[in-house]
C-alpha cells in the first residue's frame, strides 16, 4: 500500500524532478517507509512506500523490468500474486524480490492489459512503456484504490490523491460547479467529477492509455458488476450456503498475507464480526478496534447508535486484543479541518468516526480488515430496494429510485439553493446523471427480481464506491492499509449469481403491497426488519452469536441529528451563519439557512445536509484562494 504520482508532458518538455518530488511529498502520509522517483525526458513517476510485503529494499519503487522496458509505480495489494508468479516463472520470467509489485510488472510484460483480468486485489498503478512510449493507468475492479488525473494543455498529471496534483504549479484550484450540484443531490459523485475543476477520478474497473501519438485520455472499462437471478427452482439452498461459506473463508484467509501485523475493525455488526472470527483463528492475539459514541445527549432512534457492547462480546468470544474509543459531540468540530484536508472531496455519510477509528488502529498495526461490501453484495438495505420493486418500465423504476437517492436536496430545492449560479448549472439534469449509472438497463416488463438486481448494481457502482474512497483516504491519512475481504474476486462473482430469494425474505409480500397501490406503506412496513442478507446470515451464524446475526440492520453513524441541534448547535451557527462563510460564494444564503433552521428547530432531520454544508465550507477555506 502506497501513494503514487506522475507527470507526462505531451509536448516533450522535460519533467522537473523538483516538481515530481513536491507531488510525492504532498502524499507522504500514504507512504512513510520510503520514496522513489524515476524521470526520463517528458515522463516522471513518483512513489511513496508503505512497506507491507517484502520489507527489504528489493521492494523499492518505481520498479523496472530487467530489460528496462517497463517502469511501474503501484499502490495496492495483489492477493493472488504467488499463483501468478508461478505462471510467470513457467514462462521464463525471473524474480528478484518477494513483492506483488514485481509480479504485476512482469504480468503486464507477459500479457499486457489483459493481465488486469487476472488480478485479485486492490490497486491503482501507472506504468510507462519505454518501447511504445506510452503511459498506462489502471484501477482495480471495485475502485478500492483511487487515482486522479488532470489534462491541462500539454501536461498530464496524476496521483493517488488530489493533493499530489495540487503540488504541480500549473494547476490553480477552482470549484467545479457541476460537481458541486451533483454532490448536493446525491451526497456523492456518480460521474468521474470532483469538486476540483478539471480533475477527474479514473472510474473503477478501468484502464487508460496515453501516448504522444494519442494524447487524449480514453478510459476503457475492463470489468463491471453483473447481478443475475437464476430462475432454476431446483437449485439447492444448502449448496449455496456451503459454497458461500467456503468462498468467504477463502477470501478472509487470502487477505491475511503480510509481513507486518494485521488487525481488524470490530463493530457490533455481522460483517466485521465474521471477518474477525475467521482471522482470529489464523492470527493469535489479533488486535481489534471499535468506535463508540457518548449518547448522553442523544434522542430518538439515535439512543441505540453505540455498538460497543456487542463488539466487546465478540472480542471476548474471539479472544482479540481489543481497543475502543468513544466520541463526543465536540470531536467532530476538532477534527473537521484535518478531515477535510485528507478527504479532499466529501463523499457519502458522516465520515469523521472513520477518521478517528483509523487513527486508533494506526497506532498499533499497519494493516486492518474491514467489513465493507457485505451489504451491497448481499442486499443489506432492503427498505431501499423495495421502493422500486414494481415498475411499469425502466423509466418508472428510475423515477422511483431517483426519488430516494436525492439524499441532500430535491430538484426544487436545488434550484433555490443554487440560485446564485443557476445560470451556469441549470442545464444539468441530476436525473440523467442518476440514469447514466446503468450501463445495461433492463427491458420493459422486467421481473421484480431484475429491478432488485439493478438496485444492487447501482449501489455497488455508487454508494459502495463512495465508501471505499472515504475508507482509503481516511486510513491512509494515518499510514494504515485497509483491506476488504468481501471484495475478493471469487466471492464477488459468486455473490452476483445468488438468487434474490436467498437474499431477501419479504420480497413477495412487498410486491403484493405495491401491486395493491400501497407502495409507500410497504416501504414503511419493512423499514425496520431483520430482512436482507439472508444467505449471508446463515453462514455467519456459524461464527458469531445469534444476538448479532438476528439484530436489525444498523449503520455506523454518530448521533449527529441530536448533536447538531444540541451540543453542537453553536458550532453549526458559527460556521454556517457566518457573514464570511465561503459557501455562499456559490449557494443562496437565505435558502440554505432556512433548511438548516428546519433541523435546528426540530421540524425535519437535515443532519446529512448540515454535515455536507460544514464539510464543503471547510473545503472552500482550505482549497480555494481568497
Amino acid at each position: 500500500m502506497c501513494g503514487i504520482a506522475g507527470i507526462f508532458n505531451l509536448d516533450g518538455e522535460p519533467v522537473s524532478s523538483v516538481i515530481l518530488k513536491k507531488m510525492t511529498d504532498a502524499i507522504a502520509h500514504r507512504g512513510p517507509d520510503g520514496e522513489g522517483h524515476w524521470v526520463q525526458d517528458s515522463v516522471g513517476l513518483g512513489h511513496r512506500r508503505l512497506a507491507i510485503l517484502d520489507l527489504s529494499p528489493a521492494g523499492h519503487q518505481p520498479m523496472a523490468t530487467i530489460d528496462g522496458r517497463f517502469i511501474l509505480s503501484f499502490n495496492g495489494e495483489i492477493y493472488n500474486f504467488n499463483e501468478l508468479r508461478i505462471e510467470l516463472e513457467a514462462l521464463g520470467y525471473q524474480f528478484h524480490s518477494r513483492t506483488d509489485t514485481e509480479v504485476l510488472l512482469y504480468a503486464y510484460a507477459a500479457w499486457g492489459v489483459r493481465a488486469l483480468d487476472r488480478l485479485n486485489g486492490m490497486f491503482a498503478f501507472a506504468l510507462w512503456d519505454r518501447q511504445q512510449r506510452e503511459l498506462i493507468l489502471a484501477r482495480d475492479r471495485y475502485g478500492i484504490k483511487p487515482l486522479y488525473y488532470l489534462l491541462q494543455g500539454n501536461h498530464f498529471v496524476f496521483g493517488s490523491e488530489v493533493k499530489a496534483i495540487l503540488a504541480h504549479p500549473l494547476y490553480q484550484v477552482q470549484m467545479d460547479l457541476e460537481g458541486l450540484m451533483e454532490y448536493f443531490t446525491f451526497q456523492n459523485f456518480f460521474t468521474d467529477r470532483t469538486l476540483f475543476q478539471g480533475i477527474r477520478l479514473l472510474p473503477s474497473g478501468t484502464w487508460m492509455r496515453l501516448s504522444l501519438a494519442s494524447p487524449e485520455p480514453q478510459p476503457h472499462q475492463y470489468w463491471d458488476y453483473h447481478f443475475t437471478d437464476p430462475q432454476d427452482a431446483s437449485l439447492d439452498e444448502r449448496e449455496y450456503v456451503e459454497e458461500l461459506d467456503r468462498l468467504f473463508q477463502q477470501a478472509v484467509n487470502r487477505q491475511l498475507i503480510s509481513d507486518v501485523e494485521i488487525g481488524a475493525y470490530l463493530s457490533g455488526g455481522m460483517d466485521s464480526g465474521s471477518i474477525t472470527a475467521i482471522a482470529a483463528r489464523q492470527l493469535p492475539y489479533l488486535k481489534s478496534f471499535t468506535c463508540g459514541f457518548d449518547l448522553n445527549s442523544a434522542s430518538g432512534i439515535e439512543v441505540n447508535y453505540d455498538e460497543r457492547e456487542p463488539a466487546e462480546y465478540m472480542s471476548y468470544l474471539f479472544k482479540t486484543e481489543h481497543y475502543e474509543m468513544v466520541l463526543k459531540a465536540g470531536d467532530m468540530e476538532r477534527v473537521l479541518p484535518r478531515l477535510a484536508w485528507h478527504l479532499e472531496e466529501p463523499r457519502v455519510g458522516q465520515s469523521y468516526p472513520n477518521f478517528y477509528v483509523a487513527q486508533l488502529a494506526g497506532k498499533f498495526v499497519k494493516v486492518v480488515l474491514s467489513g465493507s461490501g457485505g451489504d451491497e453484495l448481499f442486499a443489506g438495505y432492503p427498505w431501499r430496494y423495495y421502493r422500486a420493486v414494481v415498475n411499469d418500465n425502466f423509466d418508472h423504476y428510475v423515477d422511483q429510485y431517483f426519488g430516494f437517492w436525492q439524499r441532500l436536496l430535491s430538484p426544487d430545492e436545488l434550484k433555490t439553493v443554487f440560485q446564485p449560479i443557476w445560470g451556469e448549472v441549470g442545464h444539468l439534469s441530476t436525473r440523467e446523471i442518476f440514469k447514466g449509472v446503468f450501463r445495461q438497463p433492463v427491458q420493459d416488463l422486467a421481473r421484480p427480481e431484475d429491478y432488485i438486481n439493478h438496485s444492487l448494481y447501482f449501489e455497488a457502482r455508487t454508494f459502495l464506491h463512495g465508501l471505499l474512497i472515504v475508507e482509503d483516504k481516511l486510513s491512509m491519512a494515518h499510514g494504515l492499509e485497509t483491506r476488504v475481504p468481501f471484495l475478493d474476486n471469487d466471492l464477488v462473482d459468486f455473490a452476483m449469481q445468488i438468487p434474490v430469494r436467498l437474499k431477501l425474505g419479504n420480497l413477495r409480500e412487498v410486491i403484493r403491497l405495491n401491486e395493491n397501490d400501497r407502495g409507500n406503506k410497504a416501504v414503511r412496513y419493512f423499514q425496520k426488519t431483520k430482512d436482507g442478507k439472508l444467505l449471508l446470515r446463515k453462514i455467519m451464524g456459524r461464527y458469531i452469536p445469534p444476538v448479532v446475526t438476528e439484530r436489525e440492520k444498523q449503520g455506523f453513524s454518530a448521533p449527529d441529528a441530536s448533536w447538531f441541534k444540541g451540543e453542537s448547535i453553536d458550532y453549526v451557527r458559527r460556521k454556517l451563519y457566518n457573514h464570511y462563510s465561503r459557501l455562499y460564494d456559490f449557494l443562496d444564503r437565505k435558502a440554505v439557512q432556512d433548511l438548516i433552521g428546519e433541523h435546528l428547530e426540530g421540524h425535519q432531520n437535515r443532519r446529512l445536509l448540515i454535515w455536507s454544508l460544514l464539510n464543503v465550507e471547510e473545503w472552500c477555506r482550505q482549497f480555494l484562494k481568497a
Side-chain angles (χ1 to χ4, degrees):
M1 187 66 68
C2 310
I4 69 173
I7 305 169
F8 183 15
N9 292 328
L10 299 166
D11 58 359
E13 177 186 337
V15 165
S16 165
S17 58
V18 174
I19 292 176
L20 183 60
K21 187 177 188 308
K22 287 182 178 179
M23 292 174 66
T24 55
D25 285 348
I27 55 173
H29 51 275
R30 296 185 69 94
D33 297 331
E35 65 177 324
H37 305 88
W38 180 90
V39 176
Q40 185 176 74
D41 301 328
S42 61
V43 179
L45 301 181
H47 189 266
R48 294 292 313 204
R49 186 183 186 195
L50 181 65
I52 303 295
L53 294 173
D54 190 347
L55 311 185
S56 75
H60 180 79
Q61 295 188 53
M63 184 179 289
T65 51
I66 194 69
D67 61 2
R69 175 179 174 179
F70 298 107
I71 296 88
L72 174 67
S73 186
F74 161 61
N75 166 34
E77 301 288 351
I78 308 300
Y79 302 117
N80 64 331
F81 77 97
N82 279 323
E83 296 96 308
L84 295 175
R85 178 171 174 151
I86 293 171
E87 285 189 60
L88 291 165
E89 286 175 333
L91 295 176
Y93 291 96
Q94 297 181 344
F95 293 86
H96 302 87
S97 74
R98 295 183 293 105
T99 66
D100 54 345
T101 305
E102 192 176 17
V103 172
L104 173 59
L105 183 61
Y106 284 106
Y108 187 88
W111 302 309
V113 293
R114 288 174 298 140
L116 296 171
D117 297 325
R118 297 170 175 257
L119 304 179
N120 192 344
M122 54 182 182
F123 57 85
F125 68 80
L127 183 142
W128 176 248
D129 183 341
R130 294 177 65 188
Q131 180 175 306
Q132 296 295 324
R133 295 195 59 75
E134 63 183 22
L135 178 70
I136 302 294
L137 302 182
R139 280 182 80 199
D140 63 74
R141 290 183 173 192
Y142 319 108
I144 304 170
K145 297 288 102 187
L147 185 55
Y148 297 89
Y149 68 92
L150 167 73
L151 177 61
Q152 190 160 309
N154 290 314
H155 303 280
F156 183 82
V157 188
F158 61 89
S160 294
E161 296 184 12
V162 174
K163 285 184 281 293
I165 299 174
L166 301 187
H168 196 293
L170 73 87
Y171 184 72
Q172 299 297 316
V173 177
Q174 289 183 287
M175 174 74 81
D176 187 315
L177 300 182
E178 293 188 9
L180 185 67
M181 186 168 166
E182 186 176 344
Y183 173 72
F184 272 108
T185 300
F186 306 116
Q187 204 195 25
N188 200 355
F189 298 92
F190 292 174
T191 66
D192 63 350
R193 289 186 179 274
T194 68
L195 286 186
F196 298 86
Q197 185 173 309
I199 295 179
R200 295 289 188 263
L201 176 64
L202 186 68
S204 58
T206 299
W207 65 273
M208 184 164 64
R209 175 185 285 121
L210 285 94
S211 67
L212 295 177
S214 180
E216 191 68 28
Q218 293 292 334
H220 302 273
Q221 187 177 30
Y222 68 88
W223 187 88
D224 199 5
Y225 294 95
H226 183 63
F227 289 89
T228 62
D229 188 67
Q231 299 184 43
D232 185 354
S234 67
L235 293 174
D236 192 337
E237 179 179 338
R238 291 172 297 179
E239 294 178 9
Y240 279 103
V241 169
E242 296 307 321
E243 181 64 1
L244 179 57
D245 191 10
R246 183 187 72 82
L247 291 172
F248 181 63
Q249 291 188 62
Q250 173 182 276
V252 176
N253 291 328
R254 183 179 273 161
Q255 297 198 15
L256 297 181
I257 185 169
S258 173
D259 291 330
V260 299
E261 187 174 4
I262 296 178
Y265 289 137
L266 181 57
S267 71
M270 295 189 299
D271 299 343
S272 65
S274 296
I275 289 171
T276 302
I278 293 173
R281 294 178 175 182
Q282 306 297 324
L283 303 174
Y285 311 112
L286 177 74
K287 292 181 174 68
S288 57
F289 309 94
T290 195
C291 179
F293 306 102
D294 180 352
L295 301 178
N296 283 308
S297 59
S299 60
I301 62 171
E302 292 184 332
V303 297
N304 298 312
Y305 275 16
D306 186 24
E307 295 189 291
R308 280 175 293 162
E309 184 176 340
E312 291 167 359
Y313 180 50
M314 285 191 284
S315 171
Y316 159 74
L317 293 177
F318 310 145
K319 296 179 171 53
T320 69
E321 184 178 317
H322 191 60
Y323 299 88
E324 60 186 33
M325 67 185 309
V326 183
L327 299 185
K328 301 173 290 298
D331 290 322
M332 182 268 292
E333 305 167 22
R334 281 187 283 272
V335 81
L336 190 55
R338 279 190 297 153
L339 177 76
W341 174 250
H342 283 290
L343 196 55
E344 298 180 326
E345 44 173 347
R347 288 271 178 174
V348 294
Q350 291 150 281
S351 50
Y352 68 91
N354 305 68
F355 184 90
Y356 276 114
V357 75
Q359 178 178 269
L360 173 66
K363 295 179 185 297
F364 298 94
V365 297
K366 292 178 75 171
V367 179
V368 69
L369 303 175
S370 165
S372 297
D375 287 317
E376 290 76 16
L377 292 172
F378 294 94
Y381 307 106
W383 60 92
R384 300 207 296 227
Y385 324 133
Y386 290 161
R387 292 173 181 265
V389 71
V390 175
N391 309 281
D392 298 332
N393 50 45
F394 179 67
D395 278 330
H396 184 210
Y397 163 80
V398 168
D399 287 338
Q400 294 202 86
Y401 215 43
F402 173 61
F404 171 77
W405 278 101
Q406 298 163 46
R407 286 169 65 88
L408 299 182
L409 297 171
S410 69
D412 288 342
E413 291 168 336
L414 280 173
K415 187 172 184 179
T416 304
V417 168
F418 277 76
Q419 195 58 45
I421 58 171
W422 191 251
E424 298 171 78
V425 300
H427 67 280
L428 193 67
S429 169
T430 52
R431 182 187 183 278
E432 289 306 305
I433 290 174
F434 180 93
K435 186 177 180 180
V437 171
F438 301 96
R439 305 294 174 89
Q440 295 180 324
V442 295
Q443 301 302 309
D444 292 351
L445 305 178
R447 300 162 57 238
E449 289 81 359
D450 296 327
Y451 287 115
I452 294 289
N453 279 327
H454 251 51
S455 298
L456 293 175
Y457 172 88
F458 174 86
E459 299 207 9
R461 290 278 307 173
T462 60
F463 188 70
L464 175 59
H465 182 247
L467 293 174
L468 295 172
I469 295 292
V470 169
E471 191 134 49
D472 171 83
K473 298 282 189 68
L474 300 189
S475 62
M476 293 305 289
H478 306 288
L480 176 71
E481 172 179 297
T482 299
R483 297 181 177 180
V484 279
F486 276 111
L487 298 184
D488 169 88
N489 288 1
D490 295 332
L491 182 57
V492 171
D493 289 346
F494 181 74
M496 292 189 297
Q497 311 305 315
I498 295 174
V500 171
R501 63 183 172 83
L502 299 182
K503 294 179 178 179
L504 298 171
N506 291 329
L507 179 60
R508 306 326 303 178
E509 178 65 8
V510 169
I511 293 171
R512 185 185 66 80
L513 290 170
N514 276 273
E515 288 175 342
N516 290 336
D517 295 323
R518 291 188 289 169
N520 289 332
K521 181 176 180 181
V523 170
R524 288 196 300 271
Y525 181 75
F526 292 112
Q527 179 73 33
K528 282 293 183 180
T529 72
K530 299 170 186 177
D531 195 9
K533 296 162 68 172
L534 298 184
L535 195 71
L536 194 62
R537 287 175 189 265
K538 290 187 176 181
I539 72 154
M540 288 183 169
R542 300 175 176 183
Y543 306 108
I544 54 180
V547 68
V548 177
T549 58
E550 296 176 6
R551 291 176 63 203
E552 293 178 350
K553 169 66 180 171
Q554 179 170 306
F556 178 49
S557 179
D560 290 305
S562 302
W563 288 348
F564 283 154
K565 59 186 178 184
E567 294 180 69
S568 295
I569 192 169
D570 290 339
Y571 175 77
V572 172
R573 286 174 171 158
R574 190 164 66 249
K575 287 290 186 180
L576 300 181
Y577 286 73
N578 189 324
H579 178 73
Y580 299 102
S581 295
R582 298 293 304 277
L583 195 65
Y584 301 120
D585 293 347
F586 312 100
L587 307 182
D588 184 86
R589 182 183 300 269
K590 183 180 184 304
V592 169
Q593 292 176 354
D594 285 348
L595 294 173
I596 297 170
E598 292 179 359
H599 184 95
L600 301 186
E601 294 165 12
H603 300 312
Q604 192 165 346
N605 186 346
R606 295 274 188 181
R607 66 184 181 92
L608 293 181
L609 176 62
I610 292 174
W611 161 254
S612 299
L613 291 166
L614 290 169
N615 214 324
V616 173
E617 170 63 19
E618 189 61 42
W619 184 94
C620 291
R621 290 175 179 271
Q622 297 210 29
F623 293 108
L624 290 181
K625 291 186 177 180

